[in-house]
Amino acid sequence: MIGKFLPPHRGHRFLIETALDHCERVVVIVCGKPGDPIPAEIRAGWLREIVPGAEVMVIDDRYDENDSKVWAENTIRWLGSAPDAVFTSEDYGDCYAAHLGCEHVMVDRERLTVSCSGTAVRGDPAAMWDYMDPPLREWFAKRVVIVGAESTGTTTLARDLAAELRTGWVAEYGREFSAGKQACGDNCWDSAEFLEIARKQTCRENAAARESNRILVCDTNAFATVLWHRRYMGFDDERVTRFGRQAKADLYLLTGDEIPFVQDGLRDGEHIRHEMHRWFVDALSGQEVPWRLVSGSRRKRIRLALEAIDVLGFPGAPVA
């Protein structure tokens, strides 16, 4: 099989699995260009996970897509020999296979078995959610990240918002890490611990995105870990900052610091809470992801959050 697989949806999976049912060896050739919205190596990695029985290779797509003879010649060069069969769901397969001197197996040309296309997935991922396997959902899920200073209600809002959106949410790993340190009587921090927290938080986000309902709610992320490092260490660390810049977010919600501070046995930052809130305002103002301050009562915060999500046209978000 050969194609862009941009992205590899369940129609592609059906095609490849059909080939696997009939062939001893299946090779999938992923065509990639530098300007592709999803890099070819990422698409190839998804295919290796989705259909582990197939071999996947990536080639540089710089040829005329209408020149089947050139594609056939290159295919023989890439494989080392001509294949016994080409499996496609497209009309080009007849000419391509003829130049290869092999059989063409047409699979679901009318998309009656799996009504999906890469164009449709790219154009409206939310509408095509049921045709995407977990790796694609991780990529396309919209991430709403709730950040804020200590005891400003981030966890409460994350839990409430996820319930409103009928989706999952990711708890703050840093709190779990801090509880473990406190239980061991360890009150000393170092920068490596914050980098570990940022990485673990990101891993949990990515795993939860695979199970999400189009939108994922996150109680903090690696971007916020940069400020927590500053709060506990008194300075910024380049490694933590660099990792924080890679955090995926489509909307930030900053919880207001107007509510009373509540001591839960772990918190110790009442004296710095308002200053840290200003750090968040400055940091959010200096980056490109949309953000909104949410304050007031619990119900009002939910309403403001839903309004912000609705304004951005997020998939499946109820109108506030």
Side-chain angles (χ1 to χ4, degrees):
M1 275 138 293
I2 188 168
K4 294 182 176 65
F5 302 96
L6 188 58
H9 49 71
R10 292 199 174 163
H12 293 132
R13 189 180 78 180
F14 176 70
L15 173 68
I16 298 169
E17 288 177 342
T18 300
L20 286 167
D21 286 340
H22 293 83
C23 305
E24 294 179 352
R25 180 189 179 205
V26 172
V27 180
V28 180
I29 300 174
V30 179
C31 307
K33 294 181 178 179
D36 288 341
I38 305 174
E41 288 294 348
I42 290 179
R43 284 175 270 146
W46 291 346
L47 281 167
R48 293 184 185 107
E49 178 179 348
I50 294 167
V51 280
E55 300 175 33
V56 182
M57 67 168 60
V58 176
I59 61 95
D60 181 11
D61 182 4
R62 57 176 183 269
Y63 311 100
D64 181 355
E65 65 179 21
N66 297 312
D67 193 336
S68 293
K69 184 173 183 294
V70 168
W71 280 101
E73 290 172 349
N74 281 314
T75 299
I76 293 172
R77 177 168 57 86
W78 295 324
L79 297 178
S81 63
D84 298 299
V86 169
F87 285 70
T88 81
S89 298
E90 308 288 348
D91 292 332
Y92 75 80
D94 288 334
C95 188
Y96 178 49
H99 284 296
L100 284 167
C102 71
E103 179 184 357
H104 174 218
V105 182
M106 179 71 81
V107 180
D108 199 21
R109 174 66 182 87
E110 304 302 323
R111 309 298 195 272
L112 298 178
T113 303
V114 184
S115 181
C116 185
S117 71
T119 301
V121 172
R122 294 193 305 273
D124 191 351
M128 307 305 292
W129 200 252
D130 292 337
Y131 294 97
M132 293 193 286
D133 285 298
L136 276 73
R137 293 184 176 189
E138 177 185 334
W139 178 274
F140 284 106
K142 297 294 186 180
R143 304 191 189 198
V144 177
V145 182
I146 302 170
V147 297
E150 201 169 49
S151 189
T152 57
T154 61
T155 302
T156 298
L157 181 57
R159 186 183 295 111
D160 289 347
L161 191 56
E164 290 283 340
L165 296 172
R166 298 177 296 280
T167 191
W169 68 285
V170 185
E172 179 186 4
Y173 175 66
R175 179 176 175 81
E176 178 183 329
F177 190 93
S178 297
K181 283 177 68 70
Q182 188 180 83
C184 296
D186 182 0
N187 296 317
C188 296
W189 289 87
D190 63 61
S191 296
E193 290 175 308
F194 288 91
L195 189 58
E196 178 185 347
I197 288 169
R199 285 173 173 161
K200 185 70 171 182
Q201 184 76 34
T202 301
C203 286
R204 290 188 174 186
E205 285 176 27
N206 292 338
R210 292 175 168 231
E211 306 297 327
S212 66
N213 181 18
R214 298 168 174 82
I215 298 176
L216 177 67
V217 180
C218 304
D219 181 5
T220 199
N221 70 351
F223 168 82
T225 304
V226 176
L227 299 185
W228 287 105
H229 179 280
R230 183 190 303 172
R231 183 254 183 268
Y232 281 99
M233 301 298 295
F235 59 90
D236 292 340
D237 179 82
E238 178 57 31
R239 294 172 304 164
V240 178
T241 300
R242 187 166 55 249
F243 191 88
R245 292 194 193 105
Q246 302 171 19
K248 288 187 66 176
D250 296 281
L251 173 67
Y252 282 109
L253 299 174
L254 173 61
T255 46
D257 61 347
E258 82 289 353
I259 60 178
F261 183 90
V262 176
Q263 179 54 258
D264 64 354
L266 283 177
R267 296 169 177 156
D268 62 353
E270 184 173 10
H271 65 288
I272 199 175
R273 186 168 68 133
H274 299 305
E275 181 182 356
M276 193 169 183
H277 177 79
R278 291 192 292 271
W279 291 353
F280 273 108
V281 171
D282 292 341
L284 290 169
S285 299
Q287 51 86 57
E288 297 181 352
V289 177
W291 69 280
R292 180 167 180 176
L293 173 65
V294 289
S295 57
S297 67
R298 184 171 178 176
R299 191 63 233 175
K300 181 181 178 181
R301 289 180 173 212
I302 298 171
R303 177 175 60 79
L304 291 174
L306 292 175
E307 286 177 357
I309 292 170
D310 185 58
V311 166
L312 292 177
F314 278 14
V319 177

